[in-house]
Amino acid sequence: MGSKRVYSICAMCTGRCPIVVDVNGNEVEHIWGNPHLLGGYHLCPRGAAGKALLNDTERPQTPLIRDGERGSGKWKSVSWDEALDYVAEKLKKIIDTYGAKSVVLSDRGGAITEFEKTFIAAIGSPNYFNHHAACSNSIHNAHLSVAGLARNGVTYDYKNCKYLVSFGRNLLESLVTGEAKNVIDMIDNGGKLIQIDVRWNYTAAKADRFFLINPGTDYALALALIHVIIKDSLYDSDFVKRWTVGFEELSNFVKPYTPEFAEKETGIPAAEIVKLAHDVGNAKPSVIFHLGWMTAWYSNDFYLRRAICSLNALLGVYEAKGGLIINKGPAAVGKPLKSLLAQVPKPKDPRFDGCGTKYPHLSGQWGLAQELAHVLLTDDPYPVRAYIVFRHDPLASLPDPDFFRSAFKKLDLLVSIDVNYSETGWFSDVILPEDTYLERTDHVIARNGPKPGYILRQAAVQRRFDTRPRWWIFKELANRLGVGQYFPYNSIEELIAWQLEGTGYKLEDFNEKGYIELVDKPIMWDRTDGLKFKTPSGKIEFISKKLEDAGVPSFIPYEKPIELKPGRFRLVTSKCALHTQGRTTSNNRLLNEYVSENHLYIHEDKAVELGIKEGDLLEVENEGEKQYIKAKLTKYIHPDVVFMLHGFGDDVPLRTRSFGKGASDIRLQKGLAKVAIGGNCPYTECTVSVKKAN
């Protein structure tokens, strides 16, 4: 094998950046960004560190069956046939006893989900869900209610944007490579960036204005901005008249939320709020109010996100240069991909998590992961006895993992399919190790956006260990359960050829650039008559018919955040450029060298009051849970807030580089595995006490 260059898609986080991999023999020499799509070879540190994952011996290397108590770390290495037969026989018994709906499956979500969704539907269970209860449920469901589009139903035209306003989206630190590059290009082109957050960060450092907002008051600021934009006639009247419903009701609702009211709540001067409203009004429609990324903040986050969506609609930014461009898929140009999932009859049973029934306004597209523990413990609405968790780690991402561990004990079967030893994998009955993204080819995915196309993850090297690709694992399980007809291929090459039937393209067409563009120029719909919002009215709905029919109000009054008790702080978490939200990177040899543990950031005045100095070991406590972490003092954080990076406090001893390093935020988030109105867990309602450790 000589040197070669392979175009593919990164999987070190959920950003799925396009990459190009330089290979010599069977070794990865370097991983770059795909210059055809990113405008250069730049890539974030996580992406560049993928080669360390490939050769890491601290990941599962063979199928494993538990050989001791759950979580004991005692495993028996078995063949693939033995492992798959074991899982299939267990599933058959559970389905025979409790029905197919008693089997649930979760993943991280995203575009490459065809195999697992097809599998769970093929066996007759409606119960697919993903990690978005811990991430983006509130904005997904909010944007659906306003515009009929998921959060990712639009593309941000950053390069032509004149004004970008971000409520806490740390674009330049919790980064996706292409997005961060486009924001920097926007700044270089003269665009303005406004960052609103409870702490200074890298994005704030690049912003034209940074507002340190009182925690939990973002909704008051959004309502005040709407108030000024309407009162001072700064909105796009033609767009509002043509493409929205409920403007009069919105106008009446925001009348009490004056800039002076918002100043008292947010700490941001009223004059600054008025100035910002006029600045975006003058820049419209080349304006973006960022919808948010990880939006599992507060119980009312759904309404904050609806307000942000409403700001975008008032300024007429949809399908405008420098605004939000509605995504178009290959079907828009008559070249849809064939889908495995589309061949499977839709299961008829109601979902276990209440999406569409108990929660009629929430979409089952993402589901409610936090409901799983409650359902396991109560058998309401029905028993769940098998859980297949695929490249997802609920015990490292959902609040209060001990609560979930106790519920998981009721499972008859817990199967983890993953590249890493996850916390959930460590507690599982079976671990089925997947090839890394550098060792496997996945199905073709649609590249939705102004210029629709296709993109493909391709294997760059041969596998290192006794692992397998996802297309093979789910096909083999389906065969054993008698539903193999829904996986009608014998190789990934056969599947890709089937997907591309009728498009005029073939696998080799990805070799030149790693993707296929179906049009030469962006498709822009006519803003007068051609926009397509997937709401019941076909318009932006300030008053949402779907919500009102479900008995959910379109607006709710602002309420003050719950007052802090003396000696308590609000715990805020996030990620950095080196580590993802989960534990997929913390044990990576290259990344761990730079950031091996997290720290607690605390305002220096509060630290003085508590006798805390830089580097002191601290005890952070909530409801009896205690975590220990070193102190970082700063004056660039709200005094009511303490901050730590998410994803540390690893409990898996085989991950020797990250095991026991730093503190776990989710262990402190007691009692927050609940469903807020937007379907999110309200993570930032966690409060903690802090003191020097003895």
Side-chain angles (χ1 to χ4, degrees), residues 55-89:
N55 295 311
D56 194 350
T57 56
E58 295 191 358
R59 63 180 171 104
Q61 299 175 34
T62 67
L64 299 168
I65 294 178
R66 179 168 60 85
D67 196 25
E69 294 295 318
R70 276 188 175 143
S72 65
K74 295 181 179 178
W75 300 99
K76 178 174 65 173
S77 180
V78 298
S79 69
W80 273 98
D81 276 341
E82 185 175 353
L84 292 168
D85 288 346
Y86 179 89
V87 172
E89 289 305 312

Side-chain angles (χ1 to χ4, degrees), residues 93 164 166 186 224 251 295 366 369 421 533 562 567 593 602:
K93 289 180 182 176
L164 169 61
S166 163
M186 179 201 78
S251 303
T295 61
W366 306 285
Y421 280 113
F533 297 107
I562 298 171
E593 283 183 15
I602 184 170

Side-chain angles (χ1 to χ4, degrees), residues 173-453:
E173 194 172 1
S174 305
L175 59 87
V176 176
T177 302
E179 184 177 49
K181 174 68 164 52
N182 288 337
V183 170
I184 293 298
D185 287 347
M186 179 201 78
I187 294 171
D188 289 344
N189 292 337
K192 305 297 183 185
L193 171 61
I194 308 300
Q195 183 71 8
I196 302 154
D197 212 324
V198 295
R199 68 182 186 103
W200 183 94
N201 51 43
Y202 288 171
T203 306
K206 287 289 185 182
D208 294 87
R209 278 184 282 168
F210 167 59
F211 295 125
L212 186 72
I213 191 170
N214 290 335
T217 64
D218 304 74
Y219 185 42
L221 175 60
L223 294 178
L225 288 168
I226 295 173
H227 171 103
V228 178
I229 287 170
I230 293 177
K231 175 176 170 290
D232 293 353
S233 298
L234 300 169
Y235 57 92
D236 185 331
S237 58
D238 290 341
F239 185 91
V240 168
K241 183 176 180 180
R242 174 65 183 87
W243 289 112
T244 70
V245 294
F247 177 70
E248 184 176 349
E249 290 90 340
L250 176 65
S251 303
N252 291 331
F253 173 71
V254 297
K255 282 181 180 176
Y257 300 108
T258 63
E260 292 74 22
F261 168 85
E263 177 178 340
K264 293 177 183 175
E265 295 300 313
T266 65
I268 299 172
E272 290 285 353
I273 297 172
V274 172
K275 182 178 186 313
L276 176 55
H278 278 259
D279 285 347
V280 296
N282 292 332
K284 70 177 182 301
S286 299
V287 174
I288 298 171
F289 276 82
H290 199 286
L291 301 177
W293 185 268
M294 191 284 190
T295 61
W297 293 4
Y298 292 92
S299 294
N300 71 352
D301 195 84
F302 180 69
Y303 289 99
L304 166 62
R305 302 301 154 183
R306 279 185 53 82
I308 291 172
C309 296
S310 299
L311 282 163
N312 283 318
L314 287 168
L315 297 169
V317 311
Y318 286 93
E319 212 68 358
K321 183 179 180 181
L324 301 178
I325 312 302
I326 300 172
N327 286 341
K328 294 87 183 176
V333 293
K335 294 183 181 295
L337 290 168
K338 292 179 73 173
S339 162
L340 292 175
L341 181 59
Q343 317 300 314
V344 184
K346 188 175 180 179
K348 296 179 180 177
D349 285 316
R351 294 176 57 88
F352 82 100
D353 57 10
C355 286
T357 51
K358 182 179 179 182
Y359 306 105
H361 65 295
L362 298 181
S363 171
Q365 183 175 350
W366 306 285
L368 299 169
Q370 67 273 54
E371 283 289 79
L372 179 57
H374 301 283
V375 172
L376 283 170
L377 293 171
T378 62
D379 287 345
D380 181 18
Y382 48 71
V384 168
R385 290 294 181 267
Y387 180 22
I388 301 172
V389 57
F390 174 48
R391 68 178 191 91
H392 180 205
D393 195 355
L395 295 181
S397 57
L398 288 169
D400 200 350
D402 288 339
F403 171 57
F404 280 88
R405 276 192 181 86
S406 66
F408 286 177
K409 290 177 181 176
K410 283 196 69 177
L411 288 164
D412 294 336
L413 180 66
L414 177 56
V415 179
S416 173
I417 306 172
D418 210 325
V419 169
N420 296 293
Y421 280 113
S422 67
E423 296 273 352
T424 308
W426 198 247
F427 200 71
S428 294
D429 302 309
V430 182
I431 296 177
L432 301 178
E434 190 191 14
D435 291 341
T436 69
Y437 68 98
L438 295 166
E439 300 164 310
R440 69 172 192 266
T441 299
D442 290 330
H443 61 70
V444 180
I445 57 174
R447 190 165 176 269
N448 299 331
K451 297 176 73 175

